[in-house]
Amino acid sequence: MTKFLLIVDYNGGAIDTPMTEWAPEDVKAHMDYYEKLNAELLASGELIGGEALTGPELAKSVTSDGVSAPVITDGPYLEAKELLAGFQVIDVESEERAIEIAALVSQVPGPGGVPTQQPIGVRRVMQEADYQELNPLG
């Protein structure tokens, strides 16, 4: 089995309207879809975990040199669409299956039940062989 991270960001896909402006029933349908999909993936043993994240207006950025107190600033710019909105970690037989699941995530309904077609990032989690490839001398 291979682990993958499915990345949901603030790129709305085919939907230009931010979720904060959707009708309450559309937000509920959107979240219900995720809940149902996650339940199915948990039942199949493919979902390790995942979460929806609060908006970027609540984010913080922390840097530290390990000596002095950390520097904490407000999070990233709200205009950036690449900000993480949520994620799922899956453990599947193949990259093809990871892509199938990402396609299901991309189909999440938006306003009026229209699939968002939101781009979903698919990243394989590094394994020991990847470390050895980066440093062949070990």
Side-chain angles (χ1 to χ4, degrees):
M1 300 282 278
T2 305
K3 293 178 186 169
F4 289 86
L5 175 67
L6 303 184
I7 304 164
V8 179
D9 63 24
Y10 281 92
N11 181 336
I15 308 299
D16 291 330
T17 308
M19 188 186 287
T20 55
E21 298 175 19
W22 293 5
E25 61 271 14
D26 290 331
V27 173
K28 181 172 179 359
H30 183 87
M31 298 311 290
D32 286 351
Y33 179 93
Y34 271 116
E35 189 174 313
K36 181 178 184 252
L37 176 59
N38 286 341
E40 291 170 3
L41 295 171
L42 273 171
S44 71
E46 295 174 303
L47 181 65
I48 295 173
E51 298 291 339
L53 304 174
T54 59
E57 68 278 2
L58 299 176
K60 302 290 183 218
S61 180
V62 179
T63 57
S64 175
D65 62 7
V67 177
S68 48
V71 177
I72 303 166
T73 58
D74 287 339
Y77 296 105
L78 297 177
E79 299 83 24
K81 290 186 175 185
E82 295 79 24
L83 297 173
L84 188 63
F87 65 93
Q88 293 161 297
V89 179
I90 56 174
D91 195 5
V92 293
E93 291 291 334
S94 65
E95 181 179 58
E96 291 76 19
R97 178 61 181 148
I99 290 170
E100 288 174 5
I101 294 170
L104 293 171
V105 175
S106 180
Q107 297 170 33
V108 64
V114 175
T116 64
Q117 301 176 51
Q118 185 174 19
I120 304 301
V122 178
R123 302 270 308 269
R124 185 173 56 80
V125 174
M126 288 183 86
Q127 301 170 342
E128 187 174 340
D130 297 311
Y131 307 139
Q132 293 171 352
E133 188 174 305
L134 291 172
N135 184 9
L137 300 177

